[in-house]
């Protein structure tokens, strides 16, 4: 298959030229190239390397798009009222997106029972580290004696998995719809951190058709032994997916999250003696990284608090393997340069910063100058890649790019603007490091109506996408 994109702007503020595509790759770039069997005049629109979301939870994102959104609730009572107002007439009431870090009251099972008597109600927090269940939901998962109905971290993950799910066919249809929506925002690929057998699930989805993106399939650490037995190796193509799916990294948790106040920190949370939650001890983490790397796999270590990041960095230094640290939200300044080691990626989610600024101001008081420190990471030589952690934030790289550049998403001044990065830094971070267009590279491309190099933050966030290509094939075209 060959295609000629005519009159394309080559990146931000770039020149106008033609782009020839053949066999899924950029074949030539220049003025007045010969017209191929198919051509498209893009009329001076900007062509960029296709965007990746480097951290998503595909099934949870697809499901959240169909659940009751309580992200705007200002209290537990308010959230319960939103659920009652929007609940379906029958079946389980699923909600998502609550943030209780600033609420004046506490979520409790009795509030859900009062709002929806006898109903099975399950609400996921915005950061996915807390679940809030009604008495009927607790009974359904075998936890009827739970005192509050609010479960966090590993207990949350176990309870969530125990709740009735949609059928595999339904979930696959929802995920396929979500990939089409992602393609409409310029997304050509995702790293999927769903807590599942992602290799098997994505092979099935791609074989069934309708998938519009590439995907790197992560492996939960609980499935590590199985992955090793199957001979999975990070970066290898997944058989039967026509090159769309590859084996991704192995996900390990060191700590929890900011909103749940379980991010593991050097300093206690205000008004308490809690430093957060250490999920994986340093010695255990070192052993896991050694096992993972010897098997030809790469680790992806979840670390949000500054102490958790110190532990993760130390383990990478001890083992000497490539891999990722996911989130890196609060860092000691002395640890910034440690991210610059070869083969280490800092997977960041800039859209979390404007969402979490108020929670950080309260619970990381006096430390926010080193929270979400994107400019400092890049200045220290770190390799950063932008993701959303969808459904924690929307699966939309432009939202993340705008947050990284603007450090705000409302009418308030930028939060710690000294940590803002430029569009020229953010675009490669949202494209797995691809800088500009070059002959021989995959024709995974996004075409935008506006030039990102001259767009303000509001225009970046709502960037109009004209078209998206994966391997030279349109996955979205307006």
């Amino acid at each position: 298959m060959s295609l000629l994109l005519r009159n394309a702007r080559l990146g931000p503020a770039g020149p106008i030229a033609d782009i020839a595509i053949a066999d899924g790759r950029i074949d030539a770039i220049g003025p007045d190239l010969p017209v191929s069997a198919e051509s498209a005049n893009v009329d001076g629109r900007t062509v960029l390397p296709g965007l990746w979301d480097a951290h998503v939870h595909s099934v949870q994102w697809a499901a959240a798009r169909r659940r009751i959104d309580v992200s705007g609730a200002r209290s537990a009572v308010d959230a319960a009222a939103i659920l009652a107002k929007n609940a379906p007439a029958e079946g389980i009431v699923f909600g998502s997106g609550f943030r209780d870090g600033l609420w004046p009251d506490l979520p409790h099972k009795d509030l859900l029972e009062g709002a929806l008597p006898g109903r099975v109600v399950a609400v996921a927090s915005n950061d996915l580290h807390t679940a809030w269940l009604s008495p009927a939901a607790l009974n359904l998962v075998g936890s009827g004696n739970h005192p509050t109905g609010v479960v966090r971290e590993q207990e949350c993950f176990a309870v969530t998995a125990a709740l009735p799910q949609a059928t595999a066919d339904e979930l696959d249809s929802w995920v396929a719809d979500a990939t089409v929506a992602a393609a409409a925002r310029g997304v050509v690929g995702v790293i999927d951190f769903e807590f599942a057998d992602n290799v098997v699930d994505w092979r099935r989805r791609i074989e069934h058709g309708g998938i519009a993106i590439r995907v790197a399939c992560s492996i939960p650490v609980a499935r590590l032994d199985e992955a090793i037995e199957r001979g999975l190796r990070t970066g290898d193509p997944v058989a039967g997916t026509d090159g769309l799916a590859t084996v991704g990294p192995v996900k390990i948790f060191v700590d929890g999250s900011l909103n749940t106040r379980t991010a593991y920190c050097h300093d206690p949370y205000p008004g308490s003696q809690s430093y957060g939650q250490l999920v994986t001890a340093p010695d255990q983490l070192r052993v896991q990284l050694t096992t993972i790397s010897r098997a030809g796999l790469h680790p992806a270590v979840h670390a949000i608090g500054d102490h958790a990041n110190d532990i993760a960095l130390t383990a990478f230094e001890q083992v000497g393997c490539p891999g990722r640290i996911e989130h890196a939200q609060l860092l000691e300044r002395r640890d910034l340069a440690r991210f610059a080691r070869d083969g280490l990626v800092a997977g960041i989610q800039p859209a979390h910063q404007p969402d979490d600024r108020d929670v950080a101001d309260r619970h990381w008081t006096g430390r926010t100058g080193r929270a979400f420190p994107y400019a400092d990471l890049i200045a220290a030589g770190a390799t950063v890649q932008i993701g959303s952690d969808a459904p924690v934030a929307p699966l939309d790289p432009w939202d993340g790019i705008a947050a990284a550049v603007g450090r705000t998403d409302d009418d308030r001044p930028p939060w710690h603007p000294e940590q803002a990065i430029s569009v020229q830094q953010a675009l490669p971070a949202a494209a797995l490091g691809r800088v500009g267009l070059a002959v021989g590279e995959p024709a995974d491309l996004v075409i935008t109506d506006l030039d990102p190099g001259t767009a303000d933050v509001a225009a970046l966030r709502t960037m109009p996408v004209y078209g998206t290509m994966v391997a030279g094939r349109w996955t979205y075209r307006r």
Side-chain angles (χ1 to χ4, degrees):
M1 177 181 177
S2 62
L3 173 67
L4 181 67
L5 296 179
R6 298 171 52 225
N7 299 315
R9 184 174 302 282
L10 305 178
I16 301 295
D18 296 343
I19 304 172
I21 297 169
D23 299 323
R25 294 187 174 272
I26 298 175
D27 189 56
I29 300 175
D32 301 320
L33 294 178
V35 176
S36 61
E38 181 183 351
S39 67
N41 188 345
V42 298
D43 292 322
R45 294 180 175 89
T46 303
V47 180
L48 304 162
L51 304 178
W52 277 69
D53 190 314
H55 191 127
V56 306
H57 300 271
S58 62
V59 171
Q60 294 179 74
W61 167 239
R65 297 173 77 225
R66 290 163 170 78
R67 292 179 174 175
I68 301 170
D69 181 7
V70 297
S71 61
R74 301 304 180 192
S75 67
V77 170
D78 188 17
I82 293 171
L83 291 164
K85 180 179 179 180
N86 296 281
E90 57 184 22
I92 298 177
V93 180
F94 282 110
S96 66
F98 78 87
R99 301 171 180 272
D100 62 336
L102 297 173
W103 283 357
D105 54 1
L106 296 175
H108 194 281
K109 62 183 181 181
D110 292 346
L111 284 174
L112 297 179
E113 179 65 15
L116 291 158
R119 297 290 299 272
V120 176
V121 186
V123 196
S125 67
N126 182 261
D127 61 13
L128 307 180
H129 287 247
T130 303
W132 176 18
L133 282 73
S134 67
L138 290 166
N139 288 329
L140 188 62
V141 299
S143 299
N145 294 326
H146 196 280
T148 67
V150 179
V151 293
R152 305 186 189 278
E153 301 303 336
Q154 300 304 312
E155 187 180 11
C156 165
F157 304 148
V159 164
T160 301
L163 286 166
Q165 304 291 326
T167 67
D169 285 345
E170 287 175 322
L171 289 174
D172 285 353
S173 175
W174 296 355
V175 171
D177 288 346
T179 69
V180 173
R185 298 303 295 143
V187 176
V188 299
V190 300
I191 304 177
D192 187 9
F193 285 100
E194 191 60 63
F195 306 118
D197 189 339
N198 292 308
V199 169
V200 168
D201 288 349
W202 279 102
R203 180 191 295 127
R204 180 185 66 250
R205 292 168 191 151
I206 292 169
E207 287 176 344
H208 287 175
I211 300 300
I213 57 174
R214 300 186 188 274
V215 60
C217 307
S218 81
I219 300 164
V221 70
R223 294 179 176 269
L224 175 58
D225 291 343
E226 177 188 353
I228 293 173
E229 291 176 5
R230 289 159 60 183
L232 300 181
R233 301 288 185 271
T234 297
D236 282 356
V238 174
T241 66
D242 196 26
L244 286 179
T246 58
V247 178
V250 178
K251 177 73 175 291
I252 308 168
F253 284 86
V254 173
D255 67 344
S257 72
L258 166 59
N259 278 279
T260 308
R261 281 83 71 201
T262 50
Y264 193 55
C265 300
H266 287 298
D267 301 293
Y269 287 86
S272 78
Q273 298 300 311
S274 172
Y275 292 79
Q277 182 174 334
L278 180 63
V279 176
T280 303
D283 288 347
Q284 182 185 3
L285 181 64
R286 184 183 69 253
V287 170
Q288 288 178 334
L289 262 61
T290 299
T291 301
I292 289 166
S293 62
R294 286 179 177 172
L297 293 160
H298 294 179
V301 180
H302 167 114
I304 288 182
D306 49 10
H307 199 168
N309 276 279
D310 179 20
I311 290 169
L313 288 163
T314 298
F316 275 107
E317 290 162 356
Q318 291 171 334
V319 178
C321 64
R324 306 174 60 88
I325 293 179
E326 295 298 326
H327 308 304
Q329 288 185 359
L330 182 67
L331 304 177
E332 291 281 0
R333 298 195 188 283
R334 64 175 178 265
D335 289 336
L336 290 164
R338 300 171 71 191
F339 276 88
R341 63 180 295 111
D342 288 343
L344 182 62
V345 173
I348 63 171
Q349 297 77 39
H352 295 189
Q353 172 265 307
D355 288 344
D356 290 347
R357 62 188 288 178
D358 297 317
V359 178
D361 282 338
R362 176 178 293 188
H363 297 293
W364 286 345
T365 302
R367 292 170 278 169
T368 54
R370 50 188 176 87
F372 307 92
Y374 305 138
D376 283 351
L377 277 169
I378 290 176
T383 298
V384 299
Q385 294 179 358
I386 290 177
S388 66
D389 205 9
V392 179
L395 204 170
D396 184 349
W398 295 107
D399 186 42
I401 290 168
V405 173
R407 300 289 291 191
T408 188
D409 64 357
D410 54 29
D411 57 2
R412 292 183 290 177
W415 189 75
H416 289 287
E418 73 277 5
Q419 294 296 346
I421 63 176
S422 68
V423 172
Q424 289 72 22
Q425 292 170 320
L427 285 172
L432 292 193
R434 283 185 66 183
V435 180
L437 307 173
V439 172
E441 289 185 342
D444 296 351
L445 307 172
V446 56
I447 305 168
T448 60
D449 284 326
L450 302 180
D451 182 345
T454 59
D456 61 20
V457 172
L460 282 173
R461 179 165 280 111
T462 59
M463 178 62 65
V465 173
Y466 172 79
T468 308
M469 289 183 167
V470 172
R473 296 180 181 274
W474 297 103
T475 54
Y476 169 77
R477 189 177 184 183
R478 193 179 65 240

